[in-house]
Amino acid sequence: MAARAWTWLRPVWLFNRRVAVALLWVLAVAGIAAGVNVVGLHVVGSIDGWERWLREHSAHFLVWRLLIYAATAYGWWWMRRRLREREPSPEAHQRLLRVEIAAVVTLVLLEGSQLLRSG
């Protein structure tokens, strides 16, 4: 009985391989980003110099982000086509549409905040 009392503290969805892999990817990306910033600070010499370098190269980063968005959109279009063939129901279409709208709104807000911050 005592073992059952604590089972609610360990949700099954939290302890599976997919969540673990996703968390490892998030940690890896965050670690790489922190590492790039540390190396950049050491190369440039100061936080002010690093911020100035980032501002001077912001156009390159915009092009990089646009390329990433284009590759993601292509992958999404490919996946969407396959999913629509596999699940042609109207409910599946509605779910896809909601995810697409959320993704576009997120990207617009992200890029809008970058635009407002820089200018």
Side-chain angles (χ1 to χ4, degrees):
M1 180 68 175
R4 281 187 156 181
W6 295 99
T7 57
W8 66 273
L9 287 174
R10 294 181 355 146
V12 175
W13 62 269
L14 188 59
F15 298 105
N16 65 27
R17 178 179 235 119
R18 182 177 289 171
V19 173
V21 169
L23 288 174
L24 285 175
W25 271 106
V26 168
L27 287 174
V29 169
I32 290 169
V36 167
N37 278 302
V38 168
V39 169
L41 284 170
H42 284 294
V43 168
V44 176
S46 69
I47 293 176
D48 293 331
W50 179 239
E51 288 176 349
R52 186 171 45 261
W53 186 88
L54 287 173
R55 272 194 310 276
E56 290 169 359
H57 294 86
S58 64
H60 298 106
F61 292 121
L62 175 62
V63 170
W64 170 252
R65 287 193 313 272
L66 291 175
L67 288 172
I68 294 291
Y69 295 154
T72 303
Y74 174 76
W76 178 263
W77 193 257
W78 175 81
M79 188 261 334
R80 182 184 199 277
R81 186 172 34 89
R82 291 188 62 199
L83 186 63
R84 291 287 291 159
E85 289 172 1
R86 192 175 71 206
E87 293 185 37
S89 69
E91 294 84 16
H93 180 68
Q94 282 299 108
R95 285 194 307 266
L96 275 174
L97 189 60
R98 282 194 299 266
V99 169
E100 291 166 348
I101 290 170
V104 169
V105 167
T106 300
L107 288 178
V108 167
L109 290 174
L110 177 68
E111 290 301 323
S113 70
Q114 291 293 327
L115 183 66
L116 289 175
R117 184 185 306 176
S118 66

